[in-house]
Amino acid sequence: MIFYTEEKNNGYIVIRFAAMKFSFIYTVFFLFLAGIPVTRASDIRIGLFYDREIQSAVFTVVQGEYILFGDGKQIKSLRRGSILLIDYTADGVAIQDTAESHGGFDQIEFRGISSENVFSIKPVYPSFAGKESDDDLLVGVAGQNLRIINRLDLEKYIAGTLEAEGGIAAPVEYYKAQAVLIRTYAVKNFHRHSFEGFNLCDGQHCQAFNGKSRWDEEIHAAVLATEHEVLTDQDGQPANTAYHANCGGMTASAAIEWNEDLPYLTPVNDPFCSESSQYEWRKVISLNEWRQYLLSKGIVSSLLPDNLTQQPARLKYFTFGDRRILISDIRQDLQLRSTFLTISQESSNMIFSGRGYGHGVGLCQEGAMEMARVGFVYIDILMFYFRDLIISQYRSEAFVK
Ligand SMILES: [Zn+2]
Ligand SMILES: [Zn+2]
């Protein structure tokens, strides 16, 4: 992947990019007038309904015009409102509408040919909620199921993901910071699912993507204002841009939380998230349950860790005599909101008092929202949570369709 980095505060560069954006918009407008399908700058392929097994689904044209291809050969064109049933069969993918049916394809493709193309895809066997999305749809076979892939413009994917991951009704500078993180993740993990024929999945495994952004004004503005921007490290590589709901007042280092020593993911004292609802939590379990849990870890010496006195720092382990437990294991086993916690005993109960929600590494979303509310711009927010990273321009030519 190729990057070039430039200082954001250099007025000349800002003007140059503004000019590039204007000329791009002008070109798109011209092509639109001329009736020529617009070639998108860079595409990404998203595996839809990744954690489900689907045998049948219904495709509908919501906006624009599509051409349907079967194994690369043109079958028919589809206008707004056209509906087709797509089935898995032992011979391959089959398609059917009220007039005709075709079958035996390795892959079918619905290719949008208007300036704006929107479709919906609704699984019917099994039946569950579908998605509406932009641009193209590819359907092939995976095992005894359909493999459903949305090929769309990268920036439209960023907008859809921003809506799913970033929360609603947040300040625009926060949305801009989050858009840069989501774009950086997409670029960094571009080949995560390559062996399955797409780039990223639509689930929590990658980034949640619920389909088309409603293009709320703030989300639209945030994606356009940060177009092509990604965070890179000192070597020019896309950074690990982790984020979480609330850090509890101090972010976690990647070294402690993930055994991954990244100099830009080190603890930051965060005064911005303390008024948020997810800043503190508390969980009570019985003494007996805790004793059984410790026993399952081979610990019988004591009920309370020896190193509690080191709190409120973020610790990696709790030690019990010559044994220790990863706090991230305790979090997972007891389904706690964070690893930033202390333990105490009150008569026959154990009290877990914790701060924050999530793994705590990288950007704290509730802190970032508050920073935006009090007037920080997105670059300030990113530089506060990620140390010594650079905002770079991603060169879309590096994407391979
Ligand atoms: Zn994934
Ligand atoms: Zn925070």
Short mmCIF file of all heavy atoms in Angstrom, two decimals, residues 50 185 192-193 198-207, ligand 1:
data_model
loop_
_atom_site.label_atom_id
_atom_site.label_comp_id
_atom_site.label_asym_id
_atom_site.label_seq_id
_atom_site.Cartn_x
_atom_site.Cartn_y
_atom_site.Cartn_z
N TYR A 50 -22.35 -11.82 7.48
CA TYR A 50 -21.20 -12.73 7.52
C TYR A 50 -21.39 -13.89 8.49
O TYR A 50 -20.93 -14.99 8.23
CB TYR A 50 -19.94 -11.92 7.90
CG TYR A 50 -18.70 -12.78 7.94
CD1 TYR A 50 -18.26 -13.42 6.78
CD2 TYR A 50 -18.00 -12.96 9.11
CE1 TYR A 50 -17.13 -14.21 6.80
CE2 TYR A 50 -16.87 -13.75 9.14
CZ TYR A 50 -16.44 -14.38 7.98
OH TYR A 50 -15.33 -15.16 8.01
N TYR A 185 -8.86 1.76 9.78
CA TYR A 185 -9.07 0.33 10.00
C TYR A 185 -9.29 -0.39 8.67
O TYR A 185 -8.73 -1.46 8.42
CB TYR A 185 -10.28 0.09 10.93
CG TYR A 185 -10.50 -1.37 11.20
CD1 TYR A 185 -9.95 -1.97 12.33
CD2 TYR A 185 -11.20 -2.18 10.30
CE1 TYR A 185 -10.11 -3.33 12.55
CE2 TYR A 185 -11.36 -3.53 10.51
CZ TYR A 185 -10.82 -4.10 11.64
OH TYR A 185 -10.96 -5.45 11.85
N ARG A 192 -8.10 -8.67 5.13
CA ARG A 192 -8.46 -9.57 6.23
C ARG A 192 -9.31 -10.77 5.75
O ARG A 192 -9.20 -11.86 6.30
CB ARG A 192 -9.24 -8.78 7.29
CG ARG A 192 -9.31 -9.51 8.61
CD ARG A 192 -9.80 -8.62 9.72
NE ARG A 192 -9.57 -9.28 10.98
CZ ARG A 192 -10.12 -8.90 12.11
NH1 ARG A 192 -10.91 -7.86 12.16
NH2 ARG A 192 -9.87 -9.56 13.22
N HIS A 193 -10.17 -10.56 4.76
CA HIS A 193 -11.04 -11.65 4.28
C HIS A 193 -10.77 -11.98 2.82
O HIS A 193 -11.63 -12.55 2.15
CB HIS A 193 -12.51 -11.24 4.43
CG HIS A 193 -13.01 -11.24 5.84
ND1 HIS A 193 -13.44 -12.38 6.49
CD2 HIS A 193 -13.13 -10.24 6.74
CE1 HIS A 193 -13.83 -12.07 7.72
NE2 HIS A 193 -13.65 -10.78 7.91
N PHE A 198 -13.62 -11.19 -0.36
CA PHE A 198 -13.97 -9.80 -0.04
C PHE A 198 -12.92 -9.22 0.90
O PHE A 198 -11.94 -9.88 1.23
CB PHE A 198 -15.39 -9.69 0.52
CG PHE A 198 -15.71 -10.61 1.66
CD1 PHE A 198 -15.54 -10.19 2.96
CD2 PHE A 198 -16.18 -11.89 1.44
CE1 PHE A 198 -15.85 -11.02 4.03
CE2 PHE A 198 -16.48 -12.74 2.50
CZ PHE A 198 -16.31 -12.30 3.79
N ASN A 199 -13.12 -7.95 1.29
CA ASN A 199 -12.11 -7.26 2.10
C ASN A 199 -12.42 -7.34 3.59
O ASN A 199 -11.59 -7.78 4.39
CB ASN A 199 -11.98 -5.80 1.67
CG ASN A 199 -11.63 -5.67 0.20
OD1 ASN A 199 -12.42 -5.20 -0.59
ND2 ASN A 199 -10.45 -6.14 -0.17
N LEU A 200 -13.62 -6.87 3.97
CA LEU A 200 -14.01 -6.86 5.39
C LEU A 200 -15.40 -7.47 5.51
O LEU A 200 -16.18 -7.42 4.56
CB LEU A 200 -14.06 -5.42 5.93
CG LEU A 200 -12.78 -4.59 5.87
CD1 LEU A 200 -13.07 -3.16 6.33
CD2 LEU A 200 -11.68 -5.20 6.73
N CYS A 201 -15.70 -8.01 6.68
CA CYS A 201 -17.08 -8.47 6.91
C CYS A 201 -17.88 -7.33 7.55
O CYS A 201 -17.33 -6.29 7.91
CB CYS A 201 -17.10 -9.73 7.78
SG CYS A 201 -16.69 -9.45 9.51
N ASP A 202 -19.19 -7.55 7.68
CA ASP A 202 -20.05 -6.48 8.20
C ASP A 202 -20.35 -6.63 9.69
O ASP A 202 -21.20 -5.94 10.22
CB ASP A 202 -21.37 -6.43 7.41
CG ASP A 202 -22.17 -7.73 7.52
OD1 ASP A 202 -21.62 -8.73 8.01
OD2 ASP A 202 -23.34 -7.74 7.11
N GLY A 203 -19.66 -7.56 10.37
CA GLY A 203 -19.96 -7.81 11.78
C GLY A 203 -18.92 -7.22 12.71
O GLY A 203 -17.99 -6.53 12.29
N GLN A 204 -19.05 -7.52 13.99
CA GLN A 204 -18.12 -7.00 15.00
C GLN A 204 -16.71 -7.52 14.77
O GLN A 204 -15.74 -6.92 15.23
CB GLN A 204 -18.60 -7.39 16.41
CG GLN A 204 -19.90 -6.73 16.84
CD GLN A 204 -19.78 -5.21 16.96
OE1 GLN A 204 -18.68 -4.69 17.09
NE2 GLN A 204 -20.89 -4.52 16.88
N HIS A 205 -16.57 -8.64 14.09
CA HIS A 205 -15.24 -9.18 13.78
C HIS A 205 -14.37 -8.14 13.09
O HIS A 205 -13.18 -8.02 13.37
CB HIS A 205 -15.39 -10.42 12.89
CG HIS A 205 -14.10 -10.99 12.40
ND1 HIS A 205 -13.64 -10.79 11.13
CD2 HIS A 205 -13.15 -11.72 13.03
CE1 HIS A 205 -12.46 -11.39 10.98
NE2 HIS A 205 -12.15 -11.96 12.11
N CYS A 206 -14.98 -7.35 12.19
CA CYS A 206 -14.27 -6.23 11.55
C CYS A 206 -14.87 -4.94 12.11
O CYS A 206 -14.51 -4.53 13.19
CB CYS A 206 -14.38 -6.32 10.04
SG CYS A 206 -13.41 -7.69 9.34
N GLN A 207 -15.78 -4.32 11.38
CA GLN A 207 -16.49 -3.14 11.88
C GLN A 207 -17.95 -3.31 11.51
O GLN A 207 -18.26 -3.75 10.40
CB GLN A 207 -15.96 -1.86 11.23
CG GLN A 207 -14.47 -1.63 11.42
CD GLN A 207 -13.98 -0.28 10.92
OE1 GLN A 207 -13.63 0.57 11.70
NE2 GLN A 207 -13.94 -0.09 9.62
ZN ZN B 1 -14.37 -9.66 9.65
#
